[in-house]
Amino acid sequence: MYYNWFVGSDGMELNERQEKILKIVKQHGPITGSKIAEQLSLTRATLRPDLAILTMSGYLDARPRVGYFYTGKESEEVMSSKIRNIIVRDVQSVPILIKKDTSIYEAIVKMFLEDVGTLYAIDEENGLAGVISRKDLLRGTMGGNDIEKTPVSVIMTRKPSITICYPNDLLIYAANQLIEKQIDSLPVVENQDGVERVIGRITKTNIARVFVNLME
Ligand code: ADP
């Protein structure tokens, strides 16, 4: 057999000739089988199995009297290199910042108004000081605290325990951090005159959106 395909749970690998055919059809399609054969200096009969595979697996479609055309299905290689090239800056969203002396009560109101799951606390120099999640706030409301008087600094996760990322980090790195640390978001920081300023956030939603966009 001259085609090496194997079927894994995740898709199909194309052999060199099939890749060549795809390239020709991408450039010249719709194109007949005989014309493709001509370009590869092969006979139409020799190409038949490759064309059949490409059609069955959805890379190509064929119309009678018109020929083969490319369906737009990306090879896994193209897809994964696209994913690997996305950086945090491309997909980050706006961070919601509060001063670290903000009360727990105000922070809860802010979280509802802004419709986010995480707030970032900043210090007097506007540098990153803490992360406040929904559960942190729930915890803050328990145990008899006066939530209108208690500042979020009492319940937030503070430096140096904060996992951060930078705008030029690969998105795949950020996604890995979310999974490894079992958290919902990462602050995107930039060092400005020695102060770590929060300029964005990466959330599970950002990553899900990238995934959906790539599929579309
Ligand atoms: P939730 O608590 O609403 O489930 P998370 O899973 O994001 O949300 O948060 C779990 C804990 O991890 C919280 O105590 C939160 O302060 C902390 N946390 C969240 N994001 C980070 C981060 N980027 N770095 C360090 N700790 C974080």
Side-chain angles (χ1 to χ4, degrees), residues 7 17 22 31 39 62 76 83 89-90 109 123 156 199:
V7 183
R17 187 189 287 164
L22 264 190
I31 177 170
Q39 292 216 19
E76 280 174 45
I83 294 173
R89 190 197 302 279
D90 298 336
V109 172
D123 57 24
M156 69 190 187
I199 58 158

Side-chain angles (χ1 to χ4, degrees), residues 117-118 120 131-136 139 155-157 161-164 178 181-187 204:
T118 315
Y120 300 118
V131 175
I132 302 132
S133 77
R134 285 175 273 222
K135 269 189 235 131
D136 293 333
R139 192 164 12 90
I155 51 144
M156 69 190 187
T157 299
S161 308
I162 305 176
T163 307
I164 57 167
L178 293 182
K181 306 272 164 64
Q182 301 188 346
I183 48 182
D184 289 347
S185 79
L186 295 183
K204 290 179 175 171

